[in-house]
Amino acid sequence: MAIATINPATGETLKTFEPLNDAEIAAKLDLANQTFEKYRQTSFSERSHWLQKAADILEQDKAEFAKLMTLEMGKPFKAAIAEVEKCAVVCRYYAEHAPGFLADVSVKTDASHSFVRYHPMGAILAVMPWNFPFWQVFRFAAPALMAGNVGLLKHASNVPQCALAIEDIIQRAGFPEGAFQTLLIGAAKVADLMADDRVKAATLTGSEPAGASLAVAAGKQIKKTVLELGGSDPFIVLESADLETAVVTATTARMLNNGQSCIAAKRFIVAEAIADKFEKLLLEKFEALKVGDPMQPDTDLGPLATPGILQDLDQQVQNAISSGGKVLTGGHPLSDRPGNFYPPTIIIGIPPEASIAKEEFFGPVALLFRVPDIDAAIKLANDSPFGLGASAWTTNNQESDRLVEEIEAGAVFINSMVKSDPRLPFGGIKRSGYGRELSIQGIHEFVNLKTVWVK
Ligand code: NAP
């Protein structure tokens, strides 16, 4: 894949970049290692100060950064603004809390003194996706930098200007040169990086094949990885649910980021007793959405990020139809305009056992399933190779307890859509990956947890 900015709303190539050659990559790895030796000696208060400054820059220039995101991957500008603001929040969160998260932890034993101490590991490689081009990177960078690690970013090839802007923000914030570097490289270079002694561990957010390939490369070198992969989150609506709020939230949860979010609600599992009503209301909401230029403030749904994603999604919809699904609205790319536009789409009647029902639809397509009761809802929700998040709607406490207890996922949200929050850990199980980002658990992923015993 070429490293380039191609406007998804028009198909126009705006800028192309030459990937780094081997000598340039080696120079950046050397710099990362040299910087680490000094950077690890800096105090928490220095790191916090720099990270707060990064938050200031994000807030001051949010319109500029948001515009870059919309230009490179097509998310609505208003959502891009919110993303930049959230990046500032995660910077301030770790600037404030990391010293506490990484303080020595005393453990009473028969030693005179025994405790746990957290040490940084060195250069951590972050392989990141285009869908939240700033957020995905900052939620890695903020804890990693506070822990005293240095970061190497291999961003998705379609968001190079975002990748360079992030490196620049961290540099301007005052972090030492080499504390965070962007490597403009293709995916084929990642395995070599994992084999390099100068890279100590890696985190990847992206598709299953990318995650598996990184894990193989890291496994050969016995290096730690965190993988945040795909999801096909269920959105369960039971009979007692507040239907109106559930439908409004269902629409937001499916359309988030033009439908391209790992934690978007993708499979709508609705109790038979309310299914007709839910279906009718959801159809009204989907058909009322405004599809168009993502820079316009009244646009709800912009283009998909690349022509390849559009083609893949369309193929999945056609497969769903040939498996027995019926399209209620949408169902074909919008051919009346340039760019990668796909309309809000609802498909009902796919047999739950069909293999297409178990795939992740990375775009504005909702799959609707009807179930007789909560037992069937939980069974269908869990009948997925993924286990990222789940949203479930009920006003019955017993049902709520069962959903929390029995749904196989990294997160369950009751009467709310699934979202990430710096204060809570984020990550999945099954083929959605392993490890956690955010919160105290996130900062502990890339540290050496050293046991100390003093007699
Ligand atoms: P992708 O193709 O896997 O790309 C993600 C990153 O991995 C890019 O930087 C890509 O580089 C790189 N990559 C691709 N193949 C690789 C390989 N074989 N070895 C090493 N690196 C490789 O995924 P995407 O299509 O951009 O993103 C969509 C997927 O990400 C969805 O499944 C979505 O659910 C998942 N996602 C998960 C989370 C989460 O937190 N769980 C968040 C967001 C997205 P190039 O661009 O150069 O190919």
Side-chain angles (χ1 to χ4, degrees):
M1 199 166 155
I3 300 177
T5 302
I6 302 171
N7 185 346
T10 62
E12 200 186 343
T13 300
L14 301 173
K15 206 164 179 180
T16 54
F17 293 81
E18 213 33 60
L20 297 180
N21 63 34
D22 289 346
E24 288 165 330
I25 296 171
K28 288 192 185 270
L29 296 186
D30 276 341
L31 177 61
N33 266 260
Q34 287 153 15
T35 304
F36 174 64
E37 289 311 322
K38 288 175 271 154
Y39 182 63
R40 65 182 305 169
Q41 312 295 340
T42 58
S43 65
F44 280 131
S45 70
E46 282 173 292
R47 295 175 203 163
S48 291
H49 174 73
W50 294 325
L51 207 52
Q52 295 277 14
K53 187 80 187 44
D56 293 343
I57 296 170
L58 285 160
E59 282 162 355
Q60 275 154 24
D61 297 338
K62 62 184 165 193
E64 176 197 329
F65 303 134
K67 198 169 160 205
L68 260 189
M69 281 194 260
T70 300
L71 197 68
E72 293 200 302
M73 53 66 66
K75 74 174 61 205
F77 181 69
K78 61 187 173 197
I81 291 275
E83 181 169 336
V84 181
E85 288 168 348
K86 194 168 172 181
C87 293
V89 171
V90 82
C91 288
R92 296 201 195 285
Y93 173 81
Y94 277 110
E96 182 185 346
H97 295 284
F101 292 160
L102 298 172
D104 288 355
V105 180
S106 247
V107 181
K108 228 174 156 33
T109 63
D110 46 339
S112 359
H113 183 32
S114 51
F115 59 97
V116 171
R117 174 162 294 171
Y118 299 102
H119 286 290
M121 296 173 74
I124 314 294
L125 174 67
V127 181
M128 291 289 136
W130 46 264
N131 63 343
F132 293 93
F134 268 58
W135 169 244
Q136 300 288 357
V137 177
F138 275 96
R139 81 177 182 185
F140 153 73
L145 289 167
M146 281 308 295
N149 292 310
V150 299
L152 294 166
L153 170 65
K154 182 266 174 278
H155 216 326
S157 294
N158 55 333
V159 289
Q161 297 196 58
C162 289
L164 292 169
I166 294 167
E167 179 185 56
D168 185 57
I169 291 165
I170 293 175
Q171 190 72 65
R172 274 160 59 203
F175 284 96
E177 198 197 348
F180 187 91
Q181 298 179 81
T182 284
L183 308 177
L184 289 183
I185 52 171
K189 287 281 179 202
V190 170
D192 291 348
L193 287 177
M194 287 320 296
D196 194 299
D197 283 345
R198 291 166 289 189
V199 175
K200 305 300 179 200
T203 180
L204 180 143
T205 299
S207 61
E208 287 175 80
S213 130
L214 179 90
V216 167
K220 282 187 188 155
Q221 309 297 330
I222 329 284
K223 288 181 185 171
K224 167 105 187 248
T225 51
V226 166
L227 299 181
E228 301 283 5
L229 309 179
S232 185
D233 284 7
F235 188 102
I236 299 171
V237 189
L238 297 178
E239 197 178 338
S240 70
D242 170 352
L243 202 58
E244 186 57 42
T245 314
V247 173
V248 171
T249 312
T251 309
T252 309
R254 177 58 283 201
M255 295 303 156
L256 184 72
N257 211 34
N258 303 338
Q260 305 158 119
S261 167
C262 54
I263 47 168
K266 292 173 185 142
R267 294 178 297 138
F268 296 83
I269 300 172
V270 185
E272 186 66 62
I274 49 156
D276 283 344
K277 213 164 164 201
F278 181 88
E279 203 174 284
K280 181 172 164 289
L281 291 172
L282 193 71
L283 184 61
E284 280 169 22
K285 296 272 181 261
F286 271 37
E287 291 189 332
L289 293 170
K290 187 158 190 290
V291 184
D293 178 357
M295 282 308 293
Q296 293 306 318
D298 59 344
T299 294
D300 298 305
L301 196 71
L304 298 177
T306 66
I309 291 160
L310 182 76
Q311 273 162 24
D312 289 350
L313 186 70
D314 189 37
Q315 187 57 56
Q316 285 180 303
V317 170
Q318 301 319 313
N319 292 349
I321 296 167
S322 50
S323 301
K326 184 175 160 234
V327 172
L328 289 189
T329 186
H332 283 289
L334 297 177
S335 51
D336 60 344
R337 61 194 88 186
N340 318 318
F341 288 94
Y342 201 90
T345 296
I346 300 176
I347 310 180
I348 58 169
I350 304 176
E353 60 283 1
S355 59
I356 191 73
K358 302 185 197 320
E359 289 185 13
E360 177 184 31
F361 281 63
F362 217 55
V365 178
L367 312 184
L368 249 66
F369 301 92
R370 292 174 179 229
V371 286
D373 53 28
I374 184 170
D375 294 314
I378 292 172
K379 188 164 178 288
L380 183 52
N382 289 340
D383 186 15
S384 165
F386 300 108
L388 195 53
S391 170
W393 293 72
T394 174
T395 51
N396 174 316
N397 288 342
Q398 271 172 335
E399 284 182 347
S400 169
D401 288 346
R402 278 197 63 191
L403 292 157
V404 168
E405 196 56 34
E406 295 177 39
I407 287 181
E408 296 164 2
V412 175
F413 282 63
I414 302 291
N415 299 328
S416 173
M417 63 187 267
V418 180
K419 54 186 180 232
S420 60
D421 180 317
R423 297 164 295 185
L424 287 166
F426 182 95
I429 59 168
K430 304 204 274 188
R431 295 187 76 85
S432 293
Y434 50 76
R436 291 293 179 268
E437 293 193 276
L438 301 176
S439 188
I440 184 170
Q441 287 80 9
I443 201 168
H444 284 171
E445 291 285 3
F446 294 115
V447 287
N448 170 22
L449 187 161
K450 185 183 275 177
T451 298
V452 183
W453 177 289
V454 182
K455 184 83 180 156

